[in-house]
Amino acid sequence: MDSNKRPDTMQRITTPELANAFIDEQISALRKQIGDKKVLLALSGGVDSSVVAALLIKAIGQNLVCVHVNHGLLRKGEPEQVVEVFRNQMNANLVYVDAVDRFLDKLAGVAEPEKKRKIIGAEFIRVFEEEARKLDGIEFLAQGTIYPDILESDDGVKAHHNVGGLPEDLQFELVEPVKLLYKDEVRVVGKALGLPDNMVYRQPFPGPGLGVRCLGAITRDRLEAVRESDAILREEFAKNGLEGKVWQYFTAVPDFKGVGITDGKRTFAYPVIIRAVNTKDAMTATVENVPFDLLQHITNRITTEVENVNRVLFDLTPKPSATIEWE
Ligand code: XMP
């Protein structure tokens, strides 16, 4: 039987009971596959890798080594949450790598979006490879491949999430416990595993992270402006019932300044662009009709709380003609 094909008889996991049955089944399958060997996992804190981590912690405990690479392009609070949930609460064997300077140095002066993506992807593999080489006796590599990744790719390899590109001498046997699940099922399983709601029901977040929302060549001041304004937007959407309703929402900061005035003084600072869209498959998207008074409130918060920002813009453009991300 093709192990990459979901059996027609497999029931859709929609309830905690079905999730628990899947978890029990996977725990014994993982123990059988892995035995007392060690497994390595790149843990981003996204839904898929988090669910794989939680499953493997249950199955093999300390024999799972999670590597969390903080490349400086994550949202506010994300690296801290990975450490809190996995190291402190689940007692995971977690290696936290602070690679912020390394990534930002490599990206300095690079303005072209695809070049930025390539640098981020390649550097990620390099950091992960270095960590893998420091560890002894690893025989398996776990991945958060899910069923759409298999359906959408010719060779069944997840293009942007996996650690494909590791050198020949670092090839591990793969462990992919959620590869036959759809995203909604992964969330039900994550919930049953006790992961926090803001991890399980997280909106999509691109692999290159805030790197493609700090437009043009990344600078630390604008990157902080993206991170802080994004945190305010998320907080206000959650408070006002838009979290979970709007498919994807975020801010972007362009690489030009405008004139403004604060406390009677002239300022020359960056604008923040708000984007909030709905879609089924990310191929086309419509713009959320965000209440105007909420937009005004968010504008007030961003212009008073975020440094180096004096304006807020709302992106009214559907996809097409725009893409969802700015880069
Ligand atoms: P676009 O901007 O192409 O985005 O309309 C469609 C969806 O894909 C996400 N996206 C990415 N995800 N790596 C990713 O993992 C990327 O390089 C990337 N670029 C865009 C985007 O956030 C949206 O959900």
Side-chain angles (χ1 to χ4, degrees):
M1 195 188 75
D2 179 1
S3 67
N4 276 352
K5 169 132 181 26
R6 185 176 166 119
D8 295 335
T9 51
M10 189 169 154
Q11 202 178 350
R12 191 90 173 197
I13 301 170
T14 51
T15 64
E17 293 72 32
L18 290 168
N20 285 327
F22 173 83
I23 292 165
D24 290 343
E25 208 177 88
Q26 278 306 316
I27 287 175
S28 38
L30 287 167
R31 286 184 181 148
K32 203 164 149 215
Q33 184 188 4
I34 299 159
D36 57 4
K37 306 278 178 9
K38 285 189 181 160
V39 181
L40 187 61
L41 168 73
L43 178 59
S44 67
V47 190
D48 306 336
S49 66
S50 295
V51 168
V52 169
L55 267 175
L56 279 159
I57 290 165
K58 269 194 186 283
I60 60 164
Q62 295 286 309
N63 279 349
L64 170 71
V65 184
C66 302
V67 175
H68 177 67
V69 178
N70 180 1
H71 51 28
L73 306 169
L74 296 167
R75 286 171 290 196
K76 189 173 178 175
E78 281 185 334
E80 293 83 358
Q81 189 183 29
V82 168
V83 172
E84 172 56 28
V85 169
F86 290 98
R87 183 184 285 161
N88 300 348
Q89 295 174 19
M90 294 190 171
N91 195 28
N93 189 352
L94 174 73
V95 180
Y96 171 85
V97 188
D98 179 347
V100 176
D101 289 341
R102 200 170 150 165
F103 275 82
L104 296 187
D105 289 351
K106 274 258 148 65
L107 287 161
V110 182
E112 214 267 300
E114 289 314 307
K115 216 166 161 190
K116 286 166 71 177
R117 277 191 171 76
K118 279 205 182 97
I119 290 172
I120 296 165
E123 196 60 14
F124 183 86
I125 291 164
R126 226 162 284 143
V127 173
F128 190 77
E129 180 191 339
E130 282 174 22
E131 293 306 318
R133 288 196 191 282
K134 287 182 201 163
L135 299 161
D136 275 336
I138 304 270
E139 293 194 17
F140 295 89
L141 180 72
Q143 289 193 159
T145 311
I146 64 172
Y147 205 45
D149 301 324
I150 291 176
L151 295 178
E152 284 162 18
S153 65
D154 301 333
D155 55 2
V157 175
K158 188 166 191 172
H160 58 255
H161 250 201
N162 73 359
V163 197
L166 283 174
E168 280 288 313
D169 67 315
L170 266 187
Q171 296 297 322
F172 306 102
E173 187 178 327
L174 288 182
V175 175
E176 297 177 301
V178 297
K179 72 175 177 184
L180 296 183
L181 301 193
Y182 289 100
K183 195 81 177 188
D184 52 290
E185 297 178 290
V186 178
R187 294 191 208 278
V188 180
V189 170
K191 183 92 184 133
L193 285 164
L195 293 174
D197 279 3
N198 66 348
M199 217 169 226
V200 171
Y201 299 109
R202 191 169 275 192
Q203 54 167 321
F205 187 60
L210 302 181
V212 290
R213 297 175 181 173
C214 184
L215 309 182
I218 296 171
T219 56
R220 287 175 195 247
D221 59 343
R222 284 189 306 111
L223 186 57
E224 281 321 300
V226 179
R227 200 179 337 260
E228 292 298 323
S229 57
D230 172 77
I232 292 172
L233 183 74
R234 286 192 287 138
E235 191 188 318
E236 290 298 331
F237 268 38
K239 255 195 232 161
N240 290 281
L242 295 178
E243 186 187 52
K245 173 178 181 274
V246 183
W247 196 81
Q248 197 172 16
Y249 46 97
F250 56 87
T251 61
V253 174
D255 55 353
F256 56 80
K257 289 180 175 178
V259 174
I261 186 152
T262 302
D263 300 330
K265 280 204 191 84
R266 182 185 181 279
T267 57
F268 191 48
Y270 299 108
V272 161
I273 302 161
I274 295 176
R275 188 123 175 89
V277 296
N278 293 306
T279 177
K280 278 211 157 57
D281 55 11
M283 301 300 284
T284 62
T286 56
V287 176
E288 170 72 14
N289 187 353
V290 183
F292 195 66
D293 53 354
L294 177 58
L295 284 175
Q296 285 178 310
H297 175 63
I298 293 170
T299 300
N300 185 47
R301 280 199 62 191
I302 290 176
T303 51
T304 50
E305 294 175 36
V306 182
E307 273 186 63
N308 302 309
V309 170
N310 62 3
R311 255 171 224 273
V312 175
L313 317 175
F314 185 71
D315 188 342
L316 287 164
T317 329
K319 175 180 182 176
S321 60
T323 48
I324 294 175
E325 302 289 346
W326 268 66
E327 286 193 336

